[in-house]
Amino acid sequence: MDSETRSYRTGDTEVVLDLTRDAAGFVAGRGDGLLHVFVPHATAGIAIIETGAGSDDDLLGALADLLPADDRWRHRHGSPGHGRSHVVPALVPPYATVPVQDGRLLLGTWQSICLVDLNVDNDVREVRFSFLAG
């Protein structure tokens, strides 16, 4: 298995950050296998969704409806509603695996690999890309 970690600045707003270009670059020329994408944080996840047509904003809206940024959370340090960020990985897992053929991601036409981060208290995220050759 070959693996590398990359840093992403997510800033101080909730974000769905498209990682597809970086993932495609990581697997380019590697032949057949599996790409595993993992975010080693307790408050972020990885989603495979359409981006740019509103689905990324819809995901943030759905998570805001399901996990309001208010004071209901027992985990209370940080910004208001910070505790909800610790629930995100139960709904948006911290990983995704994508098949790779001839060094190309086998994603659907409108699919993108995205980092989902609601935690506005941490503005830098690490993402690990791992390739397992077939």
Side-chain angles (χ1 to χ4, degrees), residues 11-106:
D12 60 358
T13 59
E14 298 174 0
V15 66
V16 174
L17 182 66
D18 192 341
L19 306 175
T20 310
R21 184 173 293 174
D22 287 351
F26 178 74
V27 302
R30 293 185 186 265
D32 297 347
L34 294 173
L35 170 69
H36 188 74
V37 183
F38 177 70
V39 56
H41 297 281
T43 58
I46 300 292
I48 297 180
I49 63 168
E50 179 181 9
T51 60
S55 297
D56 37 356
D57 291 331
D58 289 341
L59 176 57
L60 291 175
L63 290 172
D65 289 344
L66 289 170
L67 307 170
D70 58 23
D71 64 356
R72 74 182 69 203
W73 308 100
R74 292 183 180 147
H75 187 105
R76 293 182 186 233
H77 73 83
S79 62
H82 174 79
R84 75 190 185 123
S85 295
H86 289 272
V87 178
V88 166
L91 302 173
V92 181
Y95 58 87
T97 301
V98 178
V100 176
Q101 187 173 47
D102 295 326
R104 293 182 35 232
L105 298 170
L106 294 182

Side-chain angles (χ1 to χ4, degrees), residues 8-17 60 69 78-80 82 84-85 115-125:
Y8 294 91
R9 182 165 297 282
T10 55
D12 60 358
T13 59
E14 298 174 0
V15 66
V16 174
L17 182 66
L60 291 175
S79 62
H82 174 79
R84 75 190 185 123
S85 295
L115 171 64
V116 179
D117 187 6
L118 304 185
N119 185 350
V120 299
D121 295 329
N122 296 325
D123 64 347
V124 176
R125 296 298 182 172

